[in-house]
Amino acid sequence: MTVYESDLPGVGKKHEIELDGDERLVVVTHNTGKREVFRRVDEASDAEKLFELSDGLARTVGTVLEGAYFQPVATENIDTVLGDDALIEWYEVPENSELAGETIEAADVRRRTGASIIAVEHGDEVTPNPDPGAGVRAGDTVVVIGSRSEVDSFQATFIDSGGGNGVDGDVVDGSGDGGN
Amino acid sequence: MAAGSTAAGELHGLLALGVLIAAATLVAAAGRRVGIPTVPLYVLGGVLVGPHVAGAVGLPSIAPAEVLTLAEVGVVLLLFFLGLEFSIDRLIAARKKLSTAAAVDLFVNFPVGVVLGLLFGLGPLGAFLVGGIVYISSSAVITKSLVDLGWIADPEAEPVLGVLVAEDLVIAVYLALAVALVAGGSPVDALPRIAVALGFLIALALAAQFLAPWLAPYLGTSDEDLVVRTLAVALVISGLALSVGASEAVAGFFVGVGVGATPLHDRVADRIAPLRDAFAVVFFAWVGLNTDPVAVAGVAAFVLVAAALSGPAKVVSGGIAGRLYGLSPRRSLRTGLALVPRGEFSLIIAALAATSPDPTIARLIPAFAVGYVLVMSFAGTLAMSEADRIERLVGVTDG
């Protein structure tokens, strides 16, 4: 499968996606964010317009097509399409976590793991984009964004490694090792 | 001051502006139903409330000077947008295909206009101006038609938009030259003035290339700051250009190039577009205020001859552009048909011609341009929507 990209000065961008045989799907992304989706049966035929989507709707439909649509936190919509090496993860904070009863700042989440907490869910109450001074309690759900290794590091530091577990020595913390 | 035109008098200030925009939009709404592009209809709206029609029959009319400054803002913003979409990198990337296509476009269509101008006795400067009016296709009308007809997803969109981008650069150079030439005077007297004007524009072009990315953060982060500061920069620089005898339109173009090269591009385009639309309407209607329908009727023969020659010339040059992009004969024909409409830039050249000290040029060329844009934008749009029939007629149907 080949995807052709071209500029449409004054209009936006055009992507042509090869489907089976000669058929192509054409997506015109306007500078305004509007997407128009066309189909061309073969090289010679004219584009036939299938549908049109607003910017926000197009992104939502895109995540559904990608198989990545999920919405555990009641935010408005999912605006960011993440690349290969970035993900958002949800964790329930266990009793013995270093994070429980601390503020995000005091636990030094960002510096220690590289990952950032982008939302805290306490019961029914969701705090998106919490202040560094916001407190996290055991049983809260935190939403974390970062690269795969940063999120893994967050999990190792604040979720899995409860207080005083005895594992030492051969587990290297941080990123880089581990095959999967 | 013609007898009878003083009876009802002239409209001033806010009311003049309101009536002008209302007339323009009413005519556009009426014309849209029959598929005429809006640019010439805004002009027509201006004609109706101008001194030559409303004034001549004793109704309240609007003097062109009443809205001149706002019309100038319209010109600056039109060219600002061209600059915004203009990318030197993109031009360089596409230079192989595009430079030949752009050269064919220029060397076929510009001479057609020059010959027409000479034929109708307008002299060298008049011929130069008619050359520009006939050469430059309408980005506004063509882009809208491409989107409306769905051609935007077909292969012909690329050569069409590519040629339009190349024309943007040519028109910036052309306007810089035309402003200096129209100002007149003996060539020797004019030299220092031309040097100052060109120096200003060259400095501006360099600033757009090298300083703008560095200055961009100062345009602000909130939408309000972005709109107000961008407008301030565009108007101060284009105003300075006017004061040194350079083209305000070209200055607007380079400010656009500068902003377009920064990450602010999309947001500025999004926020300034409504301003451009509003002020561009004032500009088109202002051209109408200056237009005497009797004068347009007087050059009707000229307009029709020009349309009959320059329409097919664009189809040929556009067709060659399509072939250079490797398109089939049918799609190449469509490329040519799409490039036929002329519009806003022809009117900008006409507005420039109206300032000429030569009375023949100042009177005839704007009248010609208005008639010509009316015919060509309509004929071109019609040619696009009837492309299937034209293809069968010419016998190029593939697939």
Side-chain angles (χ1 to χ4, degrees):
Chain A
M1 185 193 73
T2 315
V3 179
Y4 303 92
E5 179 185 304
S6 48
D7 276 321
L8 301 172
V11 178
K13 266 194 191 303
K14 180 174 78 173
H15 290 92
E16 289 196 37
I17 301 132
E18 277 183 353
L19 303 176
D20 295 339
D22 288 339
E23 204 175 348
R24 284 183 182 195
L25 196 67
V26 184
V27 180
V28 174
T29 307
H30 291 250
N31 288 336
T32 56
K34 182 177 85 176
R35 319 284 205 282
E36 283 184 290
V37 181
F38 300 82
R39 191 179 73 128
R40 287 180 52 210
V41 179
D42 55 49
E43 188 59 38
S45 64
D46 293 332
E48 164 204 354
K49 184 162 162 177
L50 300 176
F51 55 88
E52 183 178 312
L53 297 170
S54 70
D55 188 29
L57 204 51
R59 288 170 193 269
T60 307
V61 171
T63 55
V64 171
L65 292 176
E66 202 181 27
Y69 190 72
F70 46 82
Q71 220 172 2
V73 177
T75 49
E76 299 287 333
N77 50 17
I78 291 179
D79 268 325
T80 317
V81 177
L82 299 173
D84 287 342
D85 193 40
L87 73 163
I88 299 176
E89 196 61 87
W90 279 254
Y91 294 110
E92 190 175 321
V93 179
E95 284 288 341
N96 56 7
S97 169
E98 275 187 63
L99 197 53
E102 284 291 351
T103 64
I104 296 170
E105 195 171 25
D108 218 0
V109 174
R110 181 71 192 274
R111 196 186 57 77
R112 286 172 65 188
T113 67
S116 300
I117 294 179
I118 55 173
V120 177
E121 190 179 19
H122 177 74
D124 292 339
E125 186 187 324
V126 178
T127 311
N129 217 355
D131 286 334
V136 179
R137 278 163 280 190
D140 287 358
T141 299
V142 290
V143 184
V144 177
I145 188 167
S147 68
R148 189 165 290 281
S149 63
E150 286 164 353
V151 172
D152 286 348
S153 167
F154 177 88
Q155 184 176 349
T157 311
F158 294 111
I159 307 300
D160 294 342
S161 64
N165 79 22
V167 180
D168 58 13
D170 57 359
V171 175
V172 181
D173 72 345
S175 57
D177 78 343
N180 36 27
Chain B
M1 193 148 301
S5 71
T6 48
E10 288 174 352
L11 299 176
H12 292 291
L14 208 51
L15 187 58
L17 182 64
V19 168
L20 183 67
I21 294 177
T25 188
L26 282 176
V27 174
R32 202 173 278 152
R33 288 166 190 233
V34 277
I36 305 177
T38 49
V39 169
L41 295 171
Y42 292 140
V43 177
L44 213 58
V47 173
L48 293 180
V49 293
H52 299 291
V53 175
V57 298
L59 288 170
S61 67
I62 300 161
E66 197 66 31
V67 294
L68 174 62
T69 306
L70 295 178
E72 284 174 336
V73 176
V75 172
V76 169
L77 289 182
L78 276 171
L79 270 289
F80 173 82
F81 257 77
L82 277 196
L84 207 55
E85 293 299 339
F86 182 82
S87 147
I88 291 171
D89 296 341
R90 184 151 57 202
L91 205 63
I92 291 170
R95 71 181 176 286
K96 256 193 170 160
K97 283 189 263 184
L98 192 53
S99 55
T100 323
V104 171
D105 180 43
L106 178 63
F107 292 117
V108 168
N109 297 292
F110 191 78
V112 170
V114 171
V115 169
L116 281 165
L118 291 175
L119 212 66
F120 282 83
L122 289 171
L125 177 59
F128 177 74
L129 293 171
V130 174
I133 291 168
V134 163
Y135 159 66
I136 183 99
S137 297
S138 166
S139 299
V141 174
I142 293 169
T143 307
K144 187 169 186 306
S145 298
L146 286 180
V147 172
D148 287 352
L149 296 173
W151 291 19
I152 197 74
D154 288 327
E156 54 266 27
E158 277 170 71
V160 171
L161 294 173
V163 167
L164 290 180
V165 167
E167 285 187 355
D168 297 346
L169 186 64
V170 173
I171 204 67
V173 176
Y174 172 90
L175 280 175
L177 210 61
V179 166
L181 291 173
V182 168
S186 81
V188 180
D189 294 342
L191 267 183
R193 204 183 56 227
I194 293 172
V196 169
L198 284 183
F200 180 87
L201 290 174
I202 290 168
L204 194 55
L206 291 174
Q209 183 71 5
F210 299 109
L211 282 184
W214 184 71
L215 288 173
Y218 296 98
L219 288 177
T221 45
S222 76
D223 286 342
E224 180 182 340
D225 283 349
L226 207 58
V227 170
V228 176
R229 292 180 192 177
T230 305
L231 196 62
V233 171
L235 294 187
V236 166
I237 291 180
S238 53
L240 281 175
L242 267 186
S243 70
V244 300
S247 162
E248 81 278 26
V250 181
F253 176 81
F254 283 120
V255 174
V257 169
V259 176
T262 72
L264 294 173
H265 169 275
D266 287 354
R267 281 183 63 212
V268 171
D270 208 26
R271 306 294 158 185
I272 305 270
L275 280 182
R276 172 204 55 186
D277 294 343
F279 284 111
V281 169
V282 178
F283 167 68
F284 297 134
W286 172 83
V287 170
L289 293 180
N290 285 297
T291 303
D292 182 352
V294 177
V296 178
V299 293
F302 184 14
V303 168
L304 291 178
V305 172
L309 289 179
S310 65
K314 267 286 178 188
V315 177
V316 168
S317 68
I320 294 172
R323 295 302 281 173
L324 287 167
Y325 270 71
L327 301 187
S328 70
R330 169 166 159 265
R331 299 218 171 271
S332 300
L333 173 65
R334 287 190 167 204
T335 305
L337 293 176
L339 285 165
V340 168
R342 317 294 208 277
E344 61 278 19
F345 306 118
S346 301
L347 294 175
I348 288 174
I349 298 170
L352 176 62
T355 65
S356 169
D358 180 336
T360 318
I361 288 176
R363 200 168 42 82
L364 280 185
I365 291 188
F368 163 73
V370 168
Y372 179 73
V373 166
L374 201 64
V375 171
M376 295 309 282
S377 58
F378 181 60
T381 315
L382 193 68
M384 284 177 83
S385 57
E386 298 297 320
D388 290 342
R389 221 168 287 180
I390 296 171
E391 283 158 17
R392 264 178 271 128
L393 205 70
V394 185
V396 285
T397 47
D398 50 29

PDB file of all heavy atoms in Angstrom, chain B residues 199-213:
ATOM      1  N   GLY B 199      14.345  49.215  -3.482  1.00  0.00           N
ATOM      2  CA  GLY B 199      15.179  48.948  -2.312  1.00  0.00           C
ATOM      3  C   GLY B 199      14.333  48.554  -1.119  1.00  0.00           C
ATOM      4  O   GLY B 199      14.638  47.599  -0.400  1.00  0.00           O
ATOM      5  N   PHE B 200      13.230  49.281  -0.939  1.00  0.00           N
ATOM      6  CA  PHE B 200      12.321  48.990   0.171  1.00  0.00           C
ATOM      7  C   PHE B 200      11.776  47.572   0.061  1.00  0.00           C
ATOM      8  O   PHE B 200      11.782  46.806   1.025  1.00  0.00           O
ATOM      9  CB  PHE B 200      11.173  50.009   0.162  1.00  0.00           C
ATOM     10  CG  PHE B 200      10.169  49.800   1.269  1.00  0.00           C
ATOM     11  CD1 PHE B 200      10.366  50.374   2.514  1.00  0.00           C
ATOM     12  CD2 PHE B 200       9.033  49.027   1.067  1.00  0.00           C
ATOM     13  CE1 PHE B 200       9.454  50.184   3.541  1.00  0.00           C
ATOM     14  CE2 PHE B 200       8.111  48.830   2.085  1.00  0.00           C
ATOM     15  CZ  PHE B 200       8.323  49.414   3.316  1.00  0.00           C
ATOM     16  N   LEU B 201      11.337  47.220  -1.150  1.00  0.00           N
ATOM     17  CA  LEU B 201      10.729  45.896  -1.336  1.00  0.00           C
ATOM     18  C   LEU B 201      11.762  44.781  -1.184  1.00  0.00           C
ATOM     19  O   LEU B 201      11.468  43.723  -0.626  1.00  0.00           O
ATOM     20  CB  LEU B 201      10.040  45.812  -2.699  1.00  0.00           C
ATOM     21  CG  LEU B 201       8.779  46.673  -2.812  1.00  0.00           C
ATOM     22  CD1 LEU B 201       8.234  46.645  -4.229  1.00  0.00           C
ATOM     23  CD2 LEU B 201       7.705  46.218  -1.828  1.00  0.00           C
ATOM     24  N   ILE B 202      12.975  45.016  -1.675  1.00  0.00           N
ATOM     25  CA  ILE B 202      14.024  43.994  -1.549  1.00  0.00           C
ATOM     26  C   ILE B 202      14.371  43.797  -0.069  1.00  0.00           C
ATOM     27  O   ILE B 202      14.480  42.667   0.419  1.00  0.00           O
ATOM     28  CB  ILE B 202      15.275  44.379  -2.370  1.00  0.00           C
ATOM     29  CG1 ILE B 202      14.958  44.264  -3.870  1.00  0.00           C
ATOM     30  CG2 ILE B 202      16.462  43.485  -2.019  1.00  0.00           C
ATOM     31  CD1 ILE B 202      15.987  44.887  -4.779  1.00  0.00           C
ATOM     32  N   ALA B 203      14.496  44.926   0.662  1.00  0.00           N
ATOM     33  CA  ALA B 203      14.779  44.829   2.101  1.00  0.00           C
ATOM     34  C   ALA B 203      13.670  44.041   2.807  1.00  0.00           C
ATOM     35  O   ALA B 203      13.928  43.195   3.665  1.00  0.00           O
ATOM     36  CB  ALA B 203      14.908  46.222   2.705  1.00  0.00           C
ATOM     37  N   LEU B 204      12.446  44.316   2.378  1.00  0.00           N
ATOM     38  CA  LEU B 204      11.295  43.644   2.986  1.00  0.00           C
ATOM     39  C   LEU B 204      11.317  42.147   2.691  1.00  0.00           C
ATOM     40  O   LEU B 204      11.051  41.312   3.570  1.00  0.00           O
ATOM     41  CB  LEU B 204      10.011  44.275   2.441  1.00  0.00           C
ATOM     42  CG  LEU B 204       8.726  43.958   3.177  1.00  0.00           C
ATOM     43  CD1 LEU B 204       8.843  44.308   4.637  1.00  0.00           C
ATOM     44  CD2 LEU B 204       7.577  44.721   2.542  1.00  0.00           C
ATOM     45  N   ALA B 205      11.662  41.797   1.437  1.00  0.00           N
ATOM     46  CA  ALA B 205      11.724  40.387   1.054  1.00  0.00           C
ATOM     47  C   ALA B 205      12.785  39.658   1.875  1.00  0.00           C
ATOM     48  O   ALA B 205      12.566  38.542   2.355  1.00  0.00           O
ATOM     49  CB  ALA B 205      12.022  40.253  -0.437  1.00  0.00           C
ATOM     50  N   LEU B 206      13.929  40.312   2.068  1.00  0.00           N
ATOM     51  CA  LEU B 206      14.998  39.702   2.868  1.00  0.00           C
ATOM     52  C   LEU B 206      14.555  39.549   4.320  1.00  0.00           C
ATOM     53  O   LEU B 206      14.801  38.523   4.959  1.00  0.00           O
ATOM     54  CB  LEU B 206      16.274  40.543   2.778  1.00  0.00           C
ATOM     55  CG  LEU B 206      16.959  40.525   1.405  1.00  0.00           C
ATOM     56  CD1 LEU B 206      18.131  41.506   1.370  1.00  0.00           C
ATOM     57  CD2 LEU B 206      17.446  39.119   1.062  1.00  0.00           C
ATOM     58  N   ALA B 207      13.886  40.591   4.831  1.00  0.00           N
ATOM     59  CA  ALA B 207      13.399  40.523   6.216  1.00  0.00           C
ATOM     60  C   ALA B 207      12.407  39.382   6.376  1.00  0.00           C
ATOM     61  O   ALA B 207      12.425  38.658   7.378  1.00  0.00           O
ATOM     62  CB  ALA B 207      12.752  41.845   6.610  1.00  0.00           C
ATOM     63  N   ALA B 208      11.535  39.213   5.364  1.00  0.00           N
ATOM     64  CA  ALA B 208      10.545  38.134   5.431  1.00  0.00           C
ATOM     65  C   ALA B 208      11.242  36.783   5.505  1.00  0.00           C
ATOM     66  O   ALA B 208      10.818  35.877   6.209  1.00  0.00           O
ATOM     67  CB  ALA B 208       9.620  38.183   4.213  1.00  0.00           C
ATOM     68  N   GLN B 209      12.347  36.657   4.769  1.00  0.00           N
ATOM     69  CA  GLN B 209      13.044  35.382   4.715  1.00  0.00           C
ATOM     70  C   GLN B 209      13.851  35.112   5.991  1.00  0.00           C
ATOM     71  O   GLN B 209      13.829  34.017   6.524  1.00  0.00           O
ATOM     72  CB  GLN B 209      13.955  35.358   3.477  1.00  0.00           C
ATOM     73  CG  GLN B 209      14.677  34.046   3.263  1.00  0.00           C
ATOM     74  CD  GLN B 209      13.723  32.927   2.824  1.00  0.00           C
ATOM     75  OE1 GLN B 209      12.542  33.152   2.593  1.00  0.00           O
ATOM     76  NE2 GLN B 209      14.229  31.720   2.737  1.00  0.00           N
ATOM     77  N   PHE B 210      14.541  36.143   6.493  1.00  0.00           N
ATOM     78  CA  PHE B 210      15.515  35.884   7.565  1.00  0.00           C
ATOM     79  C   PHE B 210      15.076  36.377   8.942  1.00  0.00           C
ATOM     80  O   PHE B 210      15.410  35.773   9.947  1.00  0.00           O
ATOM     81  CB  PHE B 210      16.859  36.507   7.199  1.00  0.00           C
ATOM     82  CG  PHE B 210      17.432  35.920   5.939  1.00  0.00           C
ATOM     83  CD1 PHE B 210      17.492  36.659   4.774  1.00  0.00           C
ATOM     84  CD2 PHE B 210      17.883  34.601   5.919  1.00  0.00           C
ATOM     85  CE1 PHE B 210      18.001  36.109   3.603  1.00  0.00           C
ATOM     86  CE2 PHE B 210      18.384  34.042   4.762  1.00  0.00           C
ATOM     87  CZ  PHE B 210      18.447  34.802   3.599  1.00  0.00           C
ATOM     88  N   LEU B 211      14.331  37.484   8.993  1.00  0.00           N
ATOM     89  CA  LEU B 211      13.974  38.041  10.304  1.00  0.00           C
ATOM     90  C   LEU B 211      12.655  37.488  10.847  1.00  0.00           C
ATOM     91  O   LEU B 211      12.493  37.325  12.047  1.00  0.00           O
ATOM     92  CB  LEU B 211      13.861  39.565  10.208  1.00  0.00           C
ATOM     93  CG  LEU B 211      15.179  40.334  10.183  1.00  0.00           C
ATOM     94  CD1 LEU B 211      14.899  41.844  10.184  1.00  0.00           C
ATOM     95  CD2 LEU B 211      16.026  39.984  11.398  1.00  0.00           C
ATOM     96  N   ALA B 212      11.722  37.198   9.916  1.00  0.00           N
ATOM     97  CA  ALA B 212      10.367  36.855  10.355  1.00  0.00           C
ATOM     98  C   ALA B 212      10.321  35.668  11.319  1.00  0.00           C
ATOM     99  O   ALA B 212       9.639  35.743  12.341  1.00  0.00           O
ATOM    100  CB  ALA B 212       9.472  36.615   9.152  1.00  0.00           C
ATOM    101  N   PRO B 213      11.035  34.566  11.037  1.00  0.00           N
ATOM    102  CA  PRO B 213      10.950  33.424  11.959  1.00  0.00           C
ATOM    103  C   PRO B 213      11.385  33.795  13.370  1.00  0.00           C
ATOM    104  O   PRO B 213      10.893  33.266  14.358  1.00  0.00           O
ATOM    105  CB  PRO B 213      11.928  32.404  11.351  1.00  0.00           C
ATOM    106  CG  PRO B 213      12.088  32.821   9.933  1.00  0.00           C
ATOM    107  CD  PRO B 213      11.937  34.307   9.914  1.00  0.00           C
TER     108      PRO B 213
END
